[in-house]
């Protein structure tokens, strides 16, 4: 009997099954909810009551990142070193997904990294396209995220900066001094999510009325509603049906 595999291509007899290893890693992740819809008040009639939905681990992309992403990381590493800083300190992790580069930056390094990305000629991210807020109630200690998409017109390149803060301390430095157009976007993100941008010149509501209570795009914001009866069945209001546990 002959084989086309070379000696280096033949699997060792005791080598673990990659599919089994991946399955064990998946089973080790924490359970986010059970059942198809996460219901806790009534029986799950979907047939998936025993389903366990596990929370994926935080993604992190190793080198090489591909495309122009490595050039950005290399140059940012050099510039941070010149400022007596370090890439591994100023950037918590790098995520490359769907052909997009995201740098997760601790809030204390946000302004420093943004200035280097804007001012270095080989980076030249001259424009910030906005600020998006995200609320993850289950992400303990970093429930609130602010996402900044940056554009280099000179090099036709894009990347994102992402910063997190906790519900208990929802403060992130303002980037208005670096990208003045962030003024309106930071106001909107504070209005809807409650992220406080320290150093903003006038952090006031921009969408909701001035006397509005709370931040309506947070996932713990009350949905309200009333029960509805339909053909003998009672549908509870949205506030009683929502669950993120």
């Amino acid at each position: 009997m002959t084989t086309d595999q070379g000696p280096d291509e033949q699997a060792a007899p005791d080598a673990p099954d990659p599919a089994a290893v991946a399955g064990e890693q998946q089973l080790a992740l924490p359970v986010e909810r059970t059942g198809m819809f996460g219901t806790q008040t009534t029986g799950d009639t979907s047939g998936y009551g025993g389903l366990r939905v596990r929370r994926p681990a935080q993604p992190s992309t190793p080198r090489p990142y591909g495309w122009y992403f490595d050039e950005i990381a290399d140059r940012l590493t050099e510039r941070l070193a010149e400022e007596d800083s370090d890439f591994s300190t100023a950037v918590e992790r790098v995520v490359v997904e769907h052909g997009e580069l995201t740098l997760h930056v601790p809030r204390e390094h946000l302004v420093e990294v943004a200035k280097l990305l804007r001012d270095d000629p080989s980076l030249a991210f001259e424009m910030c396209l906005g600020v998006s807020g995200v609320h993850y109630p289950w992400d303990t200690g970093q429930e609130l995220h602010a996402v900044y998409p940056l554009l280099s017109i000179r090099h036709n390149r894009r990347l994102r900066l992402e910063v997190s803060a906790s519900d208990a301390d929802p403060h992130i430095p303002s980037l208005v001094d670096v990208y003045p157009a962030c003024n309106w976007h930071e106001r909107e993100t504070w209005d809807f999510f409650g992220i406080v941008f320290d150093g903003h010149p006038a952090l006031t509501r921009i969408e909701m009325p001035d006397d509005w209570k709370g931040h309506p795009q947070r996932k713990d914001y009350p949905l309200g509603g009333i029960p509805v009866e339909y053909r003998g069945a009672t549908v509870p209001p949205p506030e009683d049906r929502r669950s993120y546990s």
Side-chain angles (χ1 to χ4, degrees):
M1 181 176 179
T2 60
T3 176
D4 293 333
Q5 287 184 323
D8 296 334
E9 296 175 343
Q10 295 180 4
D14 298 330
D17 183 358
V21 173
E24 291 174 358
Q25 293 174 345
Q26 180 69 19
L27 290 173
L29 297 174
V31 176
E32 181 173 327
R33 60 179 173 84
T34 58
M36 177 63 79
F37 306 107
T39 180
Q40 297 178 350
T41 55
T42 61
D44 187 342
T45 60
S46 66
Y48 293 90
L51 178 68
R52 293 186 175 185
V53 179
R54 299 181 182 274
R55 185 172 304 144
Q58 284 188 330
S60 181
T61 304
R63 293 270 204 160
Y65 304 133
W67 206 4
Y68 57 79
F69 302 156
D70 287 285
E71 297 178 26
I72 292 175
D74 290 340
R75 184 53 183 163
L76 185 57
T77 299
E78 295 172 0
R79 294 292 289 113
L80 286 167
E82 294 172 7
E83 300 293 331
D84 295 324
S85 188
D86 182 73
F87 185 87
S88 61
T89 302
V91 179
E92 292 177 325
R93 55 194 173 95
V94 178
V95 177
V96 176
E97 194 169 8
H98 305 300
E100 298 175 335
L101 173 67
T102 302
L103 305 181
H104 290 257
V105 180
R107 56 186 175 181
E108 58 269 20
H109 292 281
L110 173 62
V111 175
E112 174 190 20
V113 170
K115 285 182 177 179
L116 293 176
L117 291 172
R118 181 196 64 182
D119 295 340
D120 186 274
S122 59
L123 297 171
F125 285 92
E126 313 99 333
M127 182 179 294
C128 180
L129 302 178
V131 186
S132 300
V134 193
H135 184 215
Y136 301 110
W138 54 84
D139 195 3
T140 305
Q142 47 185 12
E143 295 88 353
L144 296 167
H145 291 233
V147 183
Y148 301 82
L150 305 183
L151 170 66
S152 171
I153 300 174
R154 181 183 306 179
H155 302 298
N156 191 25
R157 293 176 170 180
R158 296 173 183 264
L159 68 78
R160 273 195 301 264
L161 298 179
E162 185 164 341
V163 192
S164 62
S166 67
D167 276 337
D169 183 22
H171 291 263
I172 290 176
S174 172
L175 282 189
V176 170
D177 289 341
V178 183
Y179 296 107
C182 283
N183 188 318
W184 311 104
H185 300 290
E186 288 183 352
R187 285 179 59 191
E188 183 178 45
T189 304
W190 174 80
D191 196 357
F192 285 151
F193 292 92
I195 298 176
V196 180
F197 293 93
D198 295 330
H200 191 283
L203 196 61
T204 57
R205 292 197 182 273
I206 191 171
E207 299 283 353
M208 307 304 293
D210 290 339
D211 58 352
W212 193 267
K213 304 298 182 183
H215 305 281
Q217 286 193 351
R218 290 172 55 102
K219 290 185 173 66
D220 56 3
Y221 188 79
L223 295 177
I226 60 173
V228 177
E229 292 187 3
Y230 180 72
R231 293 189 176 181
T234 300
V235 181
E239 180 64 26
D240 295 339
R241 286 185 274 133
R242 180 176 62 177
S243 174
Y244 294 102
S245 58

